[in-house]
């Protein structure tokens, strides 16, 4: 078999992070991303679906009530735009940080499961989709460069 090597630097859960206001609920948190200001964006299955927390864990803003059906993941591009897909629905949406939809990319299949930006210019996106009973991987040429999942690698 393969040697088992633990490459994790370790982590400790902080029970006080985030400091979610009592009126804000979480159901399924299906997406998380970090923007250029190191704010943590979460995507949730109930309203408000988009919640943004500052580095200290305080809620900075939230939006999107009634905007999504089955929100599944989010990613952030270099322009600060938010890319959101909904499980069971097409298309892939590009939304301003204020919550305004301005670009829709139709996708084959209606069950997107993940999106990651890559390539030398970060303008290639890899999208996984459940299509019928199969899984598929699509390569998309994107109009904007994405941010890497791990901050500091851009």
């Amino acid at each position: 078999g393969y040697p088992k090597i633990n490459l994790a630097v370790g982590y400790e859960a902080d029970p006080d992070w985030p400091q979610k206001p009592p009126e804000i609920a979480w159901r399924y948190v299906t997406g998380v991303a970090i923007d250029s200001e190191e704010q943590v964006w979460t995507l949730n299955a109930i309203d408000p679906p988009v919640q943004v927390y500052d580095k200290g864990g305080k809620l900075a803003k939230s939006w999107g009530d009634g905007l999504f059906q089955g929100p599944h993941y989010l990613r952030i591009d270099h322009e600060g735009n938010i890319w959101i897909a909904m499980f069971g629905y097409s298309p892939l949406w590009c939304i301003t940080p204020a919550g305004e939809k301005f670009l829709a990319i139709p996708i084959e299949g209606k069950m997107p499961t993940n999106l990651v930006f890559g390539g030398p210019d970060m303008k290639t996106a890899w999208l996984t989709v459940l299509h019928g009973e199969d899984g598929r991987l699509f390569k998309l040429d994107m109009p904007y460069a994405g941010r890497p999942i791990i901050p500091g690698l851009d």
Side-chain angles (χ1 to χ4, degrees), residues 18-150:
Q19 297 139 25
K20 197 165 44 83
E23 69 275 8
I24 297 288
W26 279 354
R27 183 174 174 206
Y28 304 116
V29 180
T30 58
V32 63
I34 300 172
D35 68 15
S36 62
E37 297 173 16
E38 295 189 26
Q39 297 182 109
V40 177
W41 291 68
T42 65
L43 186 64
N44 305 277
I46 59 174
D47 288 337
V50 178
Q51 298 170 26
V52 184
Y53 294 88
D54 67 19
K55 287 195 278 189
K58 290 191 176 23
L59 182 68
K61 62 183 168 182
S62 64
W63 50 262
D65 287 11
L67 193 62
F68 307 114
Q69 295 178 353
H72 197 66
Y73 65 80
L74 80 156
R75 293 290 182 260
I76 300 174
D77 67 26
H78 267 287
E79 304 296 318
N81 300 311
I82 314 305
W83 292 85
I84 294 179
M86 284 140 302
F87 194 76
Y89 301 91
S90 179
L92 175 63
W93 286 101
C94 187
I95 301 171
T96 68
E100 299 169 14
K101 292 180 183 178
F102 75 92
L103 179 64
I105 298 176
I107 54 175
E108 185 179 334
K110 295 199 180 234
M111 303 287 184
T113 57
N114 205 351
L115 174 82
V116 65
F117 288 96
D121 61 359
M122 294 297 286
K123 284 189 167 184
T124 302
W126 300 95
L127 175 70
T128 56
V129 176
L130 177 62
H131 185 77
E133 293 184 17
D134 313 355
R136 296 213 178 145
L137 176 64
F138 294 101
K139 180 181 174 185
L140 306 170
D141 294 323
M142 301 298 276
Y144 302 100
R147 288 185 49 78
I149 293 173
I150 302 171

